[in-house]
Each structure stands twice: as C-alpha cells, then as structure tokens.
Amino acid sequence: MDYLLFFSSDILHIYLGRPDKYEVEFHRYGGRIRLADLYFDKIQGSELFEAQKIDVRFAFRERPDGELAIAALVPDLAQTGAIEQKRWHCFRIGPDIFRDYMDPDFYEWTRVHLEGEWTTYRSPIHVIGDALESINAITQVFVDKKLFRVDKGHLLRLVPPLSNHTHAYQDAHRELYRYALDAIDKLCLKDLNEKRGFSVPNLDEMRGFVALKHSFPLVKDTLISALKKTAKQRGFSVHSPRSKPEPFPAFRTFFSDLEQLALGLNALLCSLEVAFSLGRNRARALAHLPPHECMDDTETCPRVKSRTVTSVELGVLTNANGVKSDVLVLAFDDGSSVGLAMTGNVADFLAAYPMDASSLTVKIRLLEDELFSEIDIDEAQTTSLVAAEIPQKIQGQKITHCNICEATGEYSVLPHRFLLKTHLKSGAAFVLEPTWNIGHLFDASGYISAALEPKDLHLQFLYHWIPVM
C-alpha cells in the first residue's frame, strides 16, 4: 500500500461541482479525475496549468462504518499542480481507519493496478454505453433516428452514489432515469415497428419503457425489469417528500443494477440484430458514414470489378497549380493497377473572395496511367493505413462492384463531396470519403476570408471499413 494515499470521498464533490473544468469518470472499483478537454486547451502552457493540472486514478474503499473513502495513486498525486495538492491534503485520512476491514472490490482494484494482474472486467457504464451506441447505429441505418437520444459520452458523466444510504441510491437512479428512460424515442420505436410490419396499438399514449416492452416483448424480463427499478427509485426521489435516509449499500447495489441494465440492453441489441439482419459492427460503421445517396459507378467499376487486390499504397499527387490530392493505389492479381485521386472545381473555389465552402464539389476519379510516375508514395501515410488494418482487410479480396455516393456535410469535412463505396465478395466494403486540410479555417457560415494559394490546399481521403457483420 506504499503507492496509495487515502482520502474522504467528499473530495470528489469539489470536482463534480465544476464540470466546466474537470471530468470525473467512474467504474465499479473507482475512477479517474482529469482536466476537461476545453479547459485543458484553454490553460495549457500557462502558469495556471502548472498549478491546476491533474490526472489522478483512484479506487473506492469501504470503511468499517459503511462510508466510502478513496485511495489515490501516489505517483499521480505527485504530478498534480500545487493548488490541487493543497486541496487533497485537506481530505487526507490515515490507513488505520480501515483496521482489518476487508473490501473485496478494493483488493480487486489493487491486484490489477498495483500487482499487474489481468482482468476481463468492464465497467457496466462502458458496457451500457457500447450497447446504446450499437442500438442507435442499427436504428439510424434503418429509420434514420436514434432509439436512445443519448451517447456514450453522456453516460460517462453518470455519478454513482458516493454515500451509502437510501437517498443517495434514489438520487443516482434519478440521474440514470434521464439516460435510460427519458432518452427513449417513441417516434423511432414507431418507425421500427412499421419497418418490420409489427403493430403496437396506442403506442403514442404509452410511457417510453412501456412502448419498448410492447415493441420488443422478448427482452421484457431482462431490460424492462431493470428500467422499472430505475423508475421506481427515481419516483422516491422526485414525486413526494421522502422519509428519512437509512443506511444502505447504495454504491455496490447501484452498480449491480447497472450490470442488470447492461444485460437487458444487450438483449435488446441482439433482438435488433436478428430483426433487421444487421450485425452491430457493420451497423456502427454504416452509421458513421455521412448521409448519402448512391448510384452505380460506370467509370471505376469496369476497371476494378472481378479483380483481386494484392497490395495497397497511399501517395500524393500535385497538379500543375500546386494543389495536392491523396492517391490510393490498388494493385491486382492480373498485374494491373489503378490509382484513385480527387478532382473538383478547385480553381473557381480559390478564385472567389471570400471563399465559400459550399461552392466546391469534389469527386473521386481514376488516375490516367501516364500520371502514375508523378505519384509520390507516402510511406508514412501507408504505414498509418497499415496500422488501421485497411490494407490487411482489402488484400486478397475480390471486388464485386462500386457505387458513387453523393454526400453533404459539415464544412470541417467537405460540404459537397462524392464517396466511392467498393463492395467485396466477402460481403464487406470499404469507402473512400474526400475531405481537406483547411476545414478548421471556415467560419460558422462556411466562409473563409484568409488568402489561400493552391499549394495550401490538400484534398485528403477518409477511410471507412464496413465489416460483414
């Protein structure tokens, strides 16, 4: 225990009370405190940053009286700023307070973080977040709506009970209610039911979790029972004056409830996968694509169809005006190769003042054979592709057909662009999406007043892998 110092859990309220400055993430055994991203960027490099910097991992440890203390890693505390160290000093408690009391969860944390043991445990908060993202991905693909109007980032801000009594337990479920029940979109449920020819009379008049129960009856035993418990405990917290708080193992019970909710959401996820014949990984990849409409590709497809990819390289091509474009070079088993680059009305775009992002349209084109010698193969970018496992996934795959897909989106990517979706015999696909290196320069209206030269513009590829399942 030489690497740990103990503190009252009240220290956490200082950081939870300033979400503009700090992020506090919890799991069953403990959590982590660090500067919020925006605040970090704001003060980085300043004297204030040196005084306030913090990134501390901690564990919960139950005291003999049932209250919670926290154990923080000494190396993390040593790296915090002077202001933060003074704060922690005020909440310091000695190890003698625990006497010989055993907290199995705390000792599990020490085995992993201090003794280096491997663990397969995942916090139910993360499991729930992953399940919600996958559920929302499937529903977005089919009805263009999220079933739960919440994402994993929201859920990571969920605060568990920090005191072991009934009011703390009820208040934690009140917060969970916002993420699990208030977030249910009944319009999405209605569209999903119509999509699969399933009728639920009077769905509009039902509460969210009741509508969910009738729409997916096979998951009612796992998911609905967990949601009912949250609704009940939240009711104690908000609907009427409460009775006096009583001692209760709130922290441990709440995480057990979260584990049951995670099981229920994964049961719902499996039901959606079966109902729509779409695996969660493929759904998440498809949902990550921008909204688009596809058509057959009559230019690229004849050159690549029925060929098997043997190698993949990434290069850069600079045109006569100095504009750069990424080039993806695919080599095939018959000895042929193709280069895929980008083209657009760049000259008109650069000539306008102020430059309007929506005036630029970028398409993917086949590179003429005579330009192959001008490609500067970028080993660093090719290495990054390998790290993302794009070449490994494509090599050895036979291409069946291609689509050109028109997409619109944010200025930071490209407002008007055409994607190339290449389908493989395995059922997987990879997508090339044009983007650029100057998206951060545009204002909220999509204009840029800075003077740019052609050499300042680099059209770049985003790569999307769409797995089979």
Side-chain angles (χ1 to χ4, degrees), residues 51-64:
Q52 287 193 324
K53 62 182 179 180
I54 183 170
D55 189 349
V56 173
R57 294 161 290 175
F58 64 88
F60 287 104
R61 186 175 183 180
E62 194 171 75
R63 293 163 31 172

Side-chain angles (χ1 to χ4, degrees), residues 104-117:
D105 287 345
F106 170 69
Y107 282 98
E108 175 68 20
W109 185 88
T110 61
R111 282 194 293 270
V112 173
H113 288 83
L114 298 184
E115 299 172 18
E117 288 192 13

